[in-house]
């Protein structure tokens, strides 16, 4: 047939057209599975919204879900013409003239891009095809999806085909309505109704042209032009949209002048229920799977996955109960100590006068107020001082009250929080995850998002370094003053740490006794002997990932670490010297139960089995040596049956800011941190603020509940016997002195070696009283 066409150029043109037709047919039919899925006419006629994913405990109980609950569809008649006009003028000015694909815009956009002015050429219908049918997702791609340039070409062709199908079935009004009901506006807002409510507390038919332009302007880049986080850029983008509306006669010149001079005018008072069964675990799973979802092109909020975690529902319940019981008591103790006085103090005990104003400036709304009032501090202060109705967290339940934003900041700054995690080292499975006292009001996760000074819970890494470099648990040092000279950033420094009680006994102590009693002076001497650089190396080796400043005080916990890291590192000792990558998820299936991915624990031998077992023996010293800082656990009668053994380490940072307890049983490792989110808020005495009085009781109450449940799978019993032959002397004779139970686990160092406050509570000033950090 082609030979009959004598004109060479016409023949080539016809061949080219035939090739295009065949190519599009191959895409539509997914020929030889080369091109992947394309939505057919039935898909177009009955489009399905995204299917959320579900998260389960290891024993099959639903923890939470991921879905766009705040996607509230509206009809065309419920949408302001200003929104429609802004959308068409900005995104697809020829919308009413094309049939789904605008080749004129496509080619002009290619020319603009070639000249360095990159702009998109997709129509509103094409964007709807992408939003509704995910035509560019990896799961929608065949063999050619692995070829970069071909993949892009096939995806674009799929969009064109899908857009034509959409235009064939739906009219222009229906297409606009579907688009506005599915498009994302950032801040987990999907659809125009959710966006108008969230940003302006209005329904879509009530917004002004300026408000419509702000929302449509966000579609170019929801983060960059977010009016809450980037008000200046949002204002600039809004005015660009308004100018487009004027250019295409959707807005008069007078109206453009009027609206372009207005401030953004957000109204953030709308409160929606979008908890989705929210919890610290649900968010931790989302963070844990973030890279996996990106690498495998899955969306937790749309792909209907079923995610099975390692969390034990029984242990999780017991942990949450223990936290509630003990934190309620701790908060009462804290309130009694401070009374009506403000607890935010510097290291000398002086009240921090600008505490509230600095916290105001950390709130997301502060930048918006500065822009709105042009830096007028009187008006900004007036906003923060204005009383509002809000719900607040209390240990007696959620309560309605009237607070100004300043009242709210002061109220939440006084509240103590916690982070707790339990792991089974032999399997690497995380059994318990408690990110705080109440996720609704304190959604910052204190297990792996927060990092705080570890205090004396970091000391074991110094003793580990010593044991792995020639020392034995029986080697002796004298509790006496220490002076260590070192160079830090080119300056000569001298470190002279005190014990927590500012007393030196001048007694000779074994390393096991010194660690069990948490003696700062001996830990400092040991640090000087083995080298603080080496201690940093060993801490990283067993599981600490945070950067650690190599200074002498490192062994007393001067660096910030997370509960997650500490539990992981301590697990190395119970796991025969093997470091683990903790497992939070074991399996992911699709909506029909077909397995997509299974996860297994990764282990690496980082210290010898002998040293690992000796460290467990050292940890038992906290209970067995005179003055051991774990001995408050004797109060928990439910822990001491059937020759049960528990090892652990308390920790307290300077000024009783952070309280820690790391507990080890024959099966589990648990880490607990207690403190206020702002480091200037803390207890005042060792009797109230040390880790043995704040974090340890949570561990004790938790393990009592675990042991009391015969179905938990965790029983009483002694620590394991040596896994290998122990070549170092360790069965040291007990010292013959009276037991001094005074805790000496707190950190004592020059103030300038401490890190500044990093976790400041962000209190929602809009009326909910919810911590937004």
């Amino acid at each position: 047939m082609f030979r009959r066409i004598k004109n060479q150029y016409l023949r080539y043109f016809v061949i080219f057209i035939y090739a295009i037709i065949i190519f599009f047919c191959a895409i539509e039919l997914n020929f030889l599975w080369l091109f992947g899925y394309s939505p057919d006419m039935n898909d177009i006629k009955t489009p399905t919204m995204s299917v959320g994913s579900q998260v389960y405990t290891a024993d099959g109980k639903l923890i939470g879900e991921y879905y766009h609950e705040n996607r509230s569809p509206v009809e065309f008649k419920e949408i302001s013409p200003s929104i429609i006009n802004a959308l068409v003028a900005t995104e697809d000015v020829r919308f009413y003239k094309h049939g789904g694909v605008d080749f004129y815009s496509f080619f002009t956009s290619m020319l603009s891009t070639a000249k360095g002015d990159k702009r998109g050429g997709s129509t509103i219908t094409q964007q709807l095809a992408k939003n509704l049918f995910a035509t560019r997702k990896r799961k929608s791609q065949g063999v050619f999806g692995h070829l970069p340039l071909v993949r892009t070409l096939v995806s674009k062709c799929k969009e064109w085909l899908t857009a034509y199908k959409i235009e064939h079935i739906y009219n222009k009004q229906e297409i606009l309505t579907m688009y506005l009901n599915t498009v994302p506006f950032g801040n987990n807002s999907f659809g125009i109704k959710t966006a108008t409510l969230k940003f302006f507390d209005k329904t879509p038919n009530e917004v002004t042209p300026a408000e419509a332009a702000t929302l449509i302007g966000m579609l170019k880049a929801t983060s960059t032009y977010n009016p809450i986080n980037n008000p200046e850029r949002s204002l600039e983008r809004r005015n660009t949209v308004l100018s487009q509306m004027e250019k295409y006669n959707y807005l008069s010149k007078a109206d453009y002048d009027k609206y372009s001079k207005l401030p953004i005018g957000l109204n953030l008072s709308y409160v929606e229920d979008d908890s989705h069964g929210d919890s610290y675990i649900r968010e931790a799973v989302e963070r844990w799977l973030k890279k996996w979802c990106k690498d495998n092109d899955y969306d937790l909020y749309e792909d209907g996955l079923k995610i099975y975690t390692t969390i034990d529902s029984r242990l999780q319940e017991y942990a949450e109960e223990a936290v509630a019981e003990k934190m309620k008591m701790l908060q009462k103790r804290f309130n009694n100590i401070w009374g009506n006085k403000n607890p935010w103090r510097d290291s000398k005990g002086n009240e921090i006068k600008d505490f509230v104003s600095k916290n105001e400036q950390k709130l997301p709304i502060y930048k918006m107020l500065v822009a709105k009032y042009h830096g007028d501090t009187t008006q900004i202060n007036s906003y923060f001082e204005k009383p509002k109705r809000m719900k607040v967290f209390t240990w007696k339940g959620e309560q309605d009250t009237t607070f100004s934003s300043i009242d709210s900041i002061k109220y939440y700054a006084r509240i103590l929080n916690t982070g707790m995690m339990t792991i089974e080292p032999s399997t690497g499975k995380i059994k318990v995850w408690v990110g705080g006292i109440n996720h609704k009001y304190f959604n910052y996760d204190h297990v792996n998002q927060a990092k705080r000074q570890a205090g004396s819970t970091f000391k074991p890494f110094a003793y580990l370094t010593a044991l792995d470099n020639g020392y034995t648990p029986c080697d002796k040092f004298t509790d006496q003053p220490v002076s260590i000279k070192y160079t830090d950033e080119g300056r000569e420094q001298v470190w002279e740490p005190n014990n927590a009680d500012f007393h030196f006994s001048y007694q000779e102590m074994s390393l096991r006794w010194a660690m069990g009693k948490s003696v700062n002076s001996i830990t400092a001497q040991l640090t000087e002997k083995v080298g603080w650089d080496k201690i940093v190396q060993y801490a990283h080796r067993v599981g600490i990932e945070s950067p650690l400043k190599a200074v002498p005080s490192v062994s007393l916990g001067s660096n910030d670490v997370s509960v997650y890291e500490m539990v992981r590192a301590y697990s190395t000792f119970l796991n025969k010297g093997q470091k683990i990558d903790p497992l939070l998820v074991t399996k992911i299936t699709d909506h029909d139960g077909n397995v997509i991915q299974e996860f297994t624990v990764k282990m690496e031998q980082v210290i010898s089995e002998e040293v690992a077992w000796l460290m467990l023996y050292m940890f038992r010293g906290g209970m067995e040596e005179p003055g051991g800082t774990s001995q408050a656990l004797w109060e928990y009668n439910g822990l001491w049956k059937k020759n049960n053994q528990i090892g652990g380490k308390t920790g307290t940072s300077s000024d009783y800011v952070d309280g820690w307890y790391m507990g080890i049983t024959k099966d589990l490792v648990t880490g607990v941190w207690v403190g206020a989110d702002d480091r200037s808020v803390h207890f005042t005495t060792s009797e109230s603020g040390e880790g043995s009085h704040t974090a340890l009781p949570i561990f004790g109450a938790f393990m009592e509940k675990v042991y009391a449940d015969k179905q938990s799978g965790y029983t009483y019993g002694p620590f394991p016997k040596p896994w290998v032959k122990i070549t170092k002397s360790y069965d040291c004779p007990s010292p013959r002195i009276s037991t001094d139970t005074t805790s000496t686990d707190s950190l004592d160092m020059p103030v300038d070696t401490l890190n500044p406050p990093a976790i400041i509570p962000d209190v929602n000033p809009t009326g909910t009283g919810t911590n937004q950090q």
Side-chain angles (χ1 to χ4, degrees):
M1 181 185 73
F2 295 120
R3 290 179 180 177
R4 295 175 186 173
I5 304 174
K6 296 182 179 181
N7 186 297
Q8 176 180 336
Y9 298 106
L10 180 60
R11 184 167 66 248
Y12 289 155
F13 178 74
V14 172
I15 292 172
F16 176 69
I17 295 299
Y18 266 89
I20 290 177
I21 293 171
I22 292 171
F23 181 66
F24 274 96
C25 289
I27 291 175
E28 182 68 15
L29 297 173
N30 191 18
F31 181 68
L32 295 179
W33 298 278
L34 294 173
F35 301 93
Y37 156 83
S38 291
D40 57 26
M41 295 302 284
N42 287 328
D43 294 327
I44 305 295
K45 290 177 182 178
T46 57
T48 56
M49 293 294 185
S50 59
V51 179
S53 301
Q54 297 177 318
V55 188
Y56 296 89
T57 61
D59 46 341
K61 294 187 178 180
L62 182 66
I63 299 174
E65 300 178 86
Y66 304 96
Y67 59 93
H68 300 305
E69 184 180 54
N70 54 358
R71 190 196 296 271
S72 302
V74 292
E75 296 181 13
F76 184 82
K77 63 183 180 182
E78 299 175 278
I79 304 172
S80 167
S82 295
I83 294 174
I84 301 297
N85 295 339
L87 176 64
V88 173
T90 308
E91 296 293 320
D92 189 1
V93 70
R94 292 165 50 84
F95 174 72
Y96 294 105
K97 298 178 181 179
H98 62 67
V101 179
D102 186 356
F103 286 105
Y104 174 80
S105 293
F106 175 71
F107 286 116
T108 56
S109 70
M110 289 181 64
L111 289 173
S112 296
T113 300
K115 294 177 182 179
D117 181 21
K118 187 175 181 180
R119 64 180 180 86
S122 294
T123 66
I124 290 173
T125 314
Q126 286 175 253
Q127 292 177 46
L128 175 62
K130 286 189 287 186
N131 292 341
L132 210 54
F133 299 104
T135 53
R136 293 197 178 191
K137 297 196 76 171
R138 189 174 299 177
K139 299 188 297 297
S140 302
Q141 297 172 1
V143 176
F144 285 160
H146 299 286
L147 305 176
L149 293 176
V150 178
R151 177 174 66 233
T152 303
L153 175 61
V154 170
S155 295
K156 180 57 70 174
C157 291
K158 281 186 185 181
E159 286 172 20
W160 288 348
L161 288 170
T162 307
Y164 278 123
K165 293 174 188 175
I166 290 173
E167 292 270 354
H168 179 73
I169 294 174
Y170 299 102
N171 63 39
K172 293 292 186 179
Q173 287 188 358
E174 290 171 330
I175 292 170
L176 288 169
T177 305
M178 291 171 67
Y179 176 84
L180 288 168
N181 278 329
T182 56
V183 70
F185 285 90
N187 290 88
N188 196 29
S189 302
F190 286 77
I192 191 65
K193 183 177 180 180
T194 303
T196 58
L197 287 170
K198 178 167 284 188
F199 293 105
F200 298 107
D201 195 21
K202 292 181 178 180
T203 55
N205 63 324
E206 296 175 325
V207 297
T208 65
E211 293 165 343
T214 299
L215 295 172
I216 297 304
M218 292 176 65
L219 299 181
K220 184 177 182 180
T222 55
S223 297
T224 303
Y225 300 113
N226 186 300
I228 297 176
N229 300 327
N230 295 302
E232 296 86 0
R233 288 185 176 181
S234 177
L235 185 66
E236 181 181 345
R237 177 63 181 164
R238 182 205 66 182
N239 289 345
T240 299
V241 175
L242 288 172
S243 69
Q244 287 292 102
M245 294 173 71
E246 183 206 4
K247 178 179 178 181
Y248 294 108
N249 300 316
Y250 291 116
L251 207 61
S252 68
K253 180 66 166 63
D255 284 340
Y256 167 75
D257 291 338
K258 179 177 73 172
Y259 292 122
S260 62
K261 293 175 183 178
L262 294 175
I264 292 290
L266 295 183
N267 184 344
L268 306 178
S269 57
Y270 176 73
V271 181
E272 60 184 337
D273 179 14
D274 60 351
S275 62
H276 309 249
D278 216 346
S279 66
Y280 294 107
I281 299 173
R282 175 186 171 278
E283 291 199 351
V285 169
E286 184 173 6
R287 290 192 299 273
W288 202 83
L289 289 175
K290 184 177 181 180
K291 185 178 185 301
W292 181 87
C293 287
K294 182 178 180 180
D295 292 345
N296 295 277
D297 201 23
Y298 280 99
D299 188 328
L300 293 180
Y301 290 84
E302 296 186 353
D303 290 335
L305 305 176
K306 292 188 176 180
I307 302 156
Y308 296 90
T309 71
T310 59
I311 298 297
D312 186 309
S313 65
R314 290 174 181 269
L315 269 63
Q316 181 69 24
E317 180 182 355
Y318 299 147
E320 291 175 359
E321 288 175 356
V323 163
E325 292 169 9
K326 299 302 180 181
M327 290 302 294
K328 183 177 181 180
M329 294 170 57
L330 284 172
Q331 190 65 55
K332 185 176 181 180
R333 181 197 304 169
F334 184 85
N335 292 341
N336 289 338
I337 289 172
W338 286 105
N340 295 324
K341 294 185 293 184
N342 291 327
W344 35 91
R345 307 278 166 153
D346 61 22
S347 60
K348 297 180 180 179
N350 301 315
E351 182 179 340
I352 301 172
K353 299 300 182 183
D354 59 350
F355 176 86
V356 173
S357 62
K358 284 187 175 180
N359 276 274
E360 289 174 357
Q361 295 170 23
K362 294 178 185 292
L363 297 175
I365 200 172
Y366 186 82
K367 286 185 179 180
M368 188 190 77
L369 293 173
V370 170
K372 180 178 180 180
Y373 297 123
H374 306 289
D376 187 337
T377 55
T378 301
Q379 294 190 71
I380 294 172
N381 291 338
S382 177
Y383 176 88
F384 283 116
E385 292 168 358
K386 182 180 179 181
K388 309 173 188 68
R389 293 294 301 171
M390 64 176 68
K391 295 181 183 294
V392 297
F393 167 84
T394 78
W395 279 110
K396 295 180 181 179
E398 188 177 73
Q399 290 187 4
D400 290 303
T401 189
T402 300
F403 269 175
S404 68
S405 297
I406 291 175
D407 295 331
S408 186
I409 289 172
K410 290 180 177 180
Y411 177 79
Y412 281 108
R414 297 175 67 100
I415 294 181
L416 300 175
N417 223 311
T418 189
M420 177 179 180
M421 175 178 153
T422 297
I423 202 168
E424 185 180 72
S426 61
T427 63
K429 293 179 179 179
I430 299 171
K431 297 295 182 177
V432 165
W433 189 296
V434 181
I437 56 174
N438 184 294
H439 183 270
K440 180 179 179 180
Y441 286 93
F442 309 92
N443 54 30
Y444 194 75
D445 196 315
H446 297 85
V447 170
N448 71 340
Q449 286 185 305
K451 293 187 178 184
R452 301 296 286 256
Q453 288 188 332
S456 292
T457 56
F458 209 87
K459 287 178 181 175
F461 303 127
Y463 291 88
L464 163 65
T465 308
L467 293 182
D468 204 37
N469 286 274
Y471 288 85
T472 77
C474 296
D475 287 339
K476 295 182 178 180
F477 284 75
T478 301
D479 175 19
Q480 60 188 4
V482 182
S483 180
I484 299 176
K485 294 181 179 180
Y486 67 103
T487 301
D488 182 27
E489 298 180 355
R491 292 187 303 168
E492 292 293 327
Q493 303 278 353
V494 177
W495 184 51
E496 297 179 339
N498 281 309
N499 288 329
D501 58 0
F502 297 93
H503 172 71
F504 298 100
S505 66
Y506 294 91
Q507 287 181 307
E508 200 176 51
M509 297 182 179
S510 68
L511 291 186
R512 187 182 192 241
W513 184 12
M515 183 173 127
K517 197 172 186 294
S518 200
V519 181
N520 289 349
S521 67
I522 292 180
T523 306
Q525 293 174 58
L526 193 65
T527 300
E528 187 175 26
K529 292 285 187 182
V530 300
W532 41 89
D533 290 339
K534 215 164 196 177
I535 292 171
V536 167
Q537 292 172 13
Y538 272 85
H540 285 315
R541 184 186 296 183
V542 296
I544 300 297
E545 295 179 336
S546 293
L548 303 171
K549 189 173 182 180
V551 291
S553 61
V554 65
S555 58
L556 301 192
S558 59
N559 288 285
D560 282 2
V561 292
S562 68
V563 171
Y564 178 93
E565 292 175 282
M566 292 295 286
V567 172
R568 179 191 189 193
Y570 272 55
S571 296
T572 304
F573 307 128
L574 192 59
N575 197 38
K576 301 181 180 181
Q578 293 186 85
K579 180 179 70 175
I580 58 176
D581 284 336
L583 274 182
L584 184 57
V585 176
T586 54
K587 182 175 68 174
I588 300 176
T589 72
D590 63 19
H591 195 65
D592 298 319
N594 301 308
V595 176
I596 297 172
Q597 182 81 53
E598 290 185 292
F599 300 92
T600 55
V601 66
K602 296 178 182 178
M603 297 189 183
E604 177 189 1
Q605 194 77 40
V606 292
I607 58 174
S608 69
E609 293 187 32
E610 178 183 12
V611 170
W613 187 87
L614 285 172
M615 284 302 297
L616 293 184
Y617 173 74
M618 296 282 284
F619 282 117
R620 282 166 41 200
M623 291 298 303
E624 299 170 1
E625 295 287 351
T629 59
S630 293
Q631 291 181 359
L633 288 176
W634 288 122
E635 300 174 13
Y636 296 86
N637 296 326
L639 301 180
W640 309 112
K641 299 178 181 178
K642 300 180 180 179
N643 196 30
N644 194 43
Q645 288 181 328
I646 294 177
K649 188 72 195 74
T650 55
T652 314
S653 64
S654 291
D655 300 325
Y656 315 106
V657 172
D658 305 290
W660 290 76
Y661 190 71
M662 302 296 302
I664 306 175
T665 70
K666 66 181 180 65
D667 301 305
L668 302 171
V669 172
T670 298
V672 183
W673 166 87
V674 172
D677 277 335
D678 191 297
R679 302 189 199 206
S680 64
V681 178
H682 48 79
F683 284 100
T684 58
T685 64
S686 60
E687 291 78 10
S688 59
E690 283 190 336
S692 57
H693 300 295
T694 59
L696 178 147
I698 295 175
F699 171 80
F702 165 64
M703 286 308 304
E704 270 196 326
K705 295 173 187 290
V706 172
Y707 287 138
D709 181 0
K710 295 182 180 179
Q711 304 300 317
S712 73
Y714 297 100
T715 59
Y716 299 101
F719 275 21
K721 293 182 179 179
W723 305 296
V724 294
K725 182 180 179 181
I726 305 300
T727 61
K728 298 176 183 285
S729 60
Y730 66 89
D731 195 7
C732 322
S734 298
R736 295 184 178 180
I737 63 167
S738 60
T739 300
D740 174 13
T741 58
T742 302
S743 173
T744 55
D745 63 353
S746 66
L747 169 67
D748 188 356
M749 65 181 71
V751 174
D752 61 2
T753 68
L754 299 178
N755 294 323
I759 304 174
I760 305 297
D762 286 346
V763 183
N764 187 342
T766 62
T768 64
T770 305
N771 183 304
Q772 297 293 315
Q773 186 170 30

